Amino acid sequence: MDVDFIIVGAGIAGASAGYHLAPHGRVAVLEMEQVPGHHSTGRSAALYSEYYGGPVVRALTRASRDFLTTPPPGFTAHPLLTPRGVLTLGPAGAEKEFDDALAAGADASEPAYEIDPAEVPRHCPIVRPGAYRRAMHKPAAQDIDVDALHQGYLRGLRAHGGQVLRSARATTFTRTGGGWQVDTGEGRFRAPVVVDAAGAWADEVAARAGVRPLGLTPLRRTAFLVDGPAGTNVSRWPMVADVTGTFYFKPESGHLLVSPADATPVPPGDARPDDLDVAIGAERVEAATTLTIRRVRRAWAGLRTAAPDDVPVVGMAPDAPGFLWLAGLSGYGVQVAPAVGRLAAALVTGGAPDPAGCDPADLAPGRFG
């Protein structure tokens, strides 16, 4: 089948790129799983935070805000963002981490601000008194309806004639005079451009295509659901996080989603939670709060695939014409999807890239030499 753009991977990155490319030509999205978004996208913590990540990531997040706040007509029947906020706690000895986070939060649409520890119970009553020296509030953080965003992208690309092929693992890549030939279990596809949006498998896809891998690292992140205090409505609590990155928890479906904020390097695969990580997360939350965790309702793990500098990779491979990287989105993929998808489409079609407050060279794969 001849198309204009082949996208490998139908997670949030590939779906966003397909959505923005579909008005410019025929798109085929090749997804190796039966269900798009099975791995990282479907296991996201679902938070939009302009305070999260380094300067480049924060710029991409801000550039995504308008799309997430006011999506195109018909994109979704429900809001993509709802208010949440983040309460960040600074333990003794973490003054530098706290000050750095406070300074980084100054460029958000609603800047982060320090609060008196005595105000913490007003935000989250279960934080253990005296456990933390300092606290800050990040008011602009919001929950993202990840499924609505993902499905909106997939519907949009199909509406423009694009295809999403499931159980279509891209096994063989061949350079042709006109671009690329990709063989899958669902047939053979030819296009001038291949977009590598394969998440944890992006380096493997590149290697199959004869493109130099970037050294991406899949990292396992564990999460689990527990009950809040008996008789307490936790739905309006903010996310609560330790500034040193040892845990976070947030309301989720009437319960609390807890994570030890682990980032364990693992091979690409269907990530499974480790019992020890679940126990560590429970222990840390119990130490930081008055909550007693009596049972874990459900536990899972996802993969966040990071580039060596923890900045997304969006750009043409310097060693392979027509091969575009859209990878290494780490834990930021959902919240930066509108900006990186738009940038990927501009780079592929020759449009004017939207720098989104950062230099596109900061995202280009050539930065690794």
Side-chain angles (χ1 to χ4, degrees):
M1 178 183 294
D2 292 324
V3 295
D4 297 297
F5 314 110
I6 296 171
I7 299 175
V8 183
I12 198 70
S16 177
Y19 174 86
H20 289 287
L21 281 170
H24 301 279
R26 296 161 297 171
V27 174
V29 183
L30 309 179
E31 171 55 50
M32 69 177 183
E33 302 291 355
Q34 179 59 35
V35 179
H38 173 72
H39 294 286
S40 299
T41 300
R43 309 178 197 188
S44 166
L47 190 78
Y48 171 86
S49 174
E50 298 173 32
Y51 316 94
Y52 187 36
V56 174
V57 169
R58 297 198 305 273
L60 292 170
T61 304
R62 291 193 301 272
S64 299
R65 182 177 61 233
D66 286 348
F67 186 98
L68 295 171
T69 302
T70 311
F75 186 88
T76 177
H78 308 286
L80 294 174
L81 298 179
T82 53
R84 174 60 58 198
V86 174
L87 175 66
T88 300
L89 305 171
E95 283 74 17
K96 183 181 186 307
E97 291 93 333
F98 191 94
D99 288 336
D100 288 348
L102 192 60
D107 57 9
S109 58
E110 296 181 64
Y113 58 92
E114 187 165 4
I115 63 174
D116 191 301
E119 295 182 48
V120 166
R122 180 169 62 85
H123 295 273
C124 182
I126 64 170
V127 174
R128 190 179 297 279
Y132 290 88
R133 296 281 184 86
R134 301 172 73 182
M136 79 176 82
H137 187 228
K138 300 174 178 178
Q142 302 186 69
D143 287 339
I144 303 178
D145 189 331
V146 178
D147 184 64
L149 178 62
H150 190 215
Q151 294 304 319
Y153 280 141
L154 295 177
R155 278 194 305 273
L157 75 89
R158 290 187 181 110
H160 280 95
Q163 301 179 68
V164 179
L165 295 103
R166 306 181 182 198
S167 302
R169 182 187 291 270
T171 55
T172 306
F173 294 76
T174 306
R175 287 286 295 159
T176 68
W180 295 91
Q181 176 178 290
V182 181
D183 290 306
T184 77
E186 294 297 306
R188 174 173 291 172
F189 298 84
R190 290 174 295 271
V193 174
V194 167
V195 177
D196 184 357
W201 288 265
D203 264 352
E204 289 187 6
V205 166
R208 287 181 219 150
V211 178
R212 181 174 61 87
L214 298 180
L216 304 174
T217 304
L219 304 168
R220 186 181 67 223
R221 173 61 55 92
T222 304
F224 54 96
L225 281 183
V226 301
D227 293 329
T232 301
N233 180 0
V234 304
S235 63
R236 295 188 179 277
W237 289 2
M239 173 184 274
V240 178
D242 174 18
V243 76
T244 59
T246 63
F247 74 88
Y248 61 79
F249 63 87
K250 61 172 289 208
E252 177 70 28
S253 304
H255 306 287
L256 293 175
L257 182 158
V258 177
S259 176
D262 50 320
T264 306
V266 294
D270 193 2
R272 302 293 183 185
D274 184 278
D275 289 343
L276 179 59
D277 289 328
V278 172
I280 288 171
E283 181 181 40
R284 289 173 178 173
V285 168
E286 287 187 327
T289 71
T290 57
L291 183 68
T292 299
I293 297 176
R294 303 189 184 280
R295 65 166 173 160
V296 172
R297 286 183 166 267
R298 182 168 67 91
W300 65 95
L303 296 179
R304 40 194 290 134
T305 301
D309 57 2
D310 200 37
V311 172
V313 184
V314 188
M316 288 292 180
D319 56 336
F323 188 97
L324 184 117
W325 286 96
L326 180 52
L329 303 188
S330 195
Y332 321 113
V334 174
Q335 68 178 33
V336 303
V340 298
R342 189 167 61 242
L343 175 60
L347 294 173
V348 167
T349 60
D354 175 3
C358 62
D359 187 342
D362 293 336
L363 305 169
R367 71 184 190 265
F368 299 113

